[in-house]
Amino acid sequence: MKKMIAMALISALALPGAAMGAAQLPSSDKMLNDYSRYAVVYTSDEERVYVDTETIERDPANAGELPVIRGTLYAEVYKDPLTYPDYGNDRMVEYIFQYETAVGADQYGREIRYRILNKLQGVYTPDGKPAAYTGFHDEPADEADDIYAAMYRLSKNY
């Protein structure tokens, strides 16, 4: 009996920890409408990239250097080709790619060179559910200069 009570107690304590450890992926609508949490850092004809502002971190940098900035990016990849019903039914987004990203910049003379490292964490449907993705997609969020500038400005506020 004591063993059963101990197991029940351990199970009860473990469940909240497991639930807290599992991050809830935001839906496309959540990112679009929650301006205080998800900021747009890049957009193109093919995608719209958000950063979760609660994940932005700025590495320490020496005087005269630019910091590396880290955060979680979500790239909404649009359907291709988009059709009139896609627009009319608000079904433009085909997938959401989640990335852990580090973006940096170095100055060489008068030129600044940008670099970005994206680590794909998962692929999801527009409503935030895991998706089986079998296609090849160029890494969204490859515009390091635009993303660095946006995340740099945002990182000053967080």
Side-chain angles (χ1 to χ4, degrees):
M1 182 70 163
K2 286 183 180 180
K3 206 177 219 182
M4 288 178 52
I5 293 173
M7 290 302 285
L9 182 59
I10 290 171
S11 296
L13 292 173
L15 286 175
M20 287 171 41
Q24 176 74 19
L25 186 88
S27 68
S28 183
D29 288 340
K30 172 79 173 162
M31 289 187 291
L32 182 64
N33 294 314
D34 191 348
Y35 301 112
S36 63
R37 171 92 186 256
Y38 302 99
V40 175
V41 293
Y42 178 74
T43 189
S44 73
D45 295 343
E46 300 151 354
E47 65 193 351
R48 183 177 180 133
V49 180
Y50 298 86
V51 65
D52 180 344
T53 59
E54 292 183 3
T55 66
I56 292 177
E57 295 176 4
R58 186 192 272 211
D59 288 357
N62 295 325
E65 293 180 355
L66 294 169
V68 171
I69 303 169
R70 302 172 193 283
T72 301
L73 297 184
Y74 298 99
E76 293 181 328
V77 179
Y78 299 135
K79 291 180 181 178
D80 184 29
L82 282 168
T83 64
Y84 179 80
D86 293 332
Y87 283 102
N89 296 320
D90 195 24
R91 304 262 186 237
M92 297 169 58
V93 177
E94 187 168 19
Y95 294 104
I96 298 173
F97 289 73
Q98 179 185 15
Y99 293 95
E100 288 304 315
T101 297
V103 64
D106 293 306
Q107 186 157 356
Y108 298 96
R110 292 180 181 229
E111 179 185 359
I112 296 179
R113 294 185 191 155
Y114 302 90
R115 62 198 185 289
I116 191 164
L117 176 63
N118 292 314
K119 184 176 179 189
L120 183 64
Q121 301 296 303
V123 181
Y124 304 91
T125 62
D127 58 356
K129 295 179 181 156
Y133 182 73
T134 57
F136 176 77
H137 191 278
D138 289 335
E139 224 177 59
D142 60 358
E143 296 295 329
D145 53 346
D146 294 333
I147 293 170
Y148 186 85
M151 287 181 69
Y152 183 88
R153 292 190 70 205
L154 288 167
S155 70
K156 294 180 94 170
N157 296 328
Y158 297 95

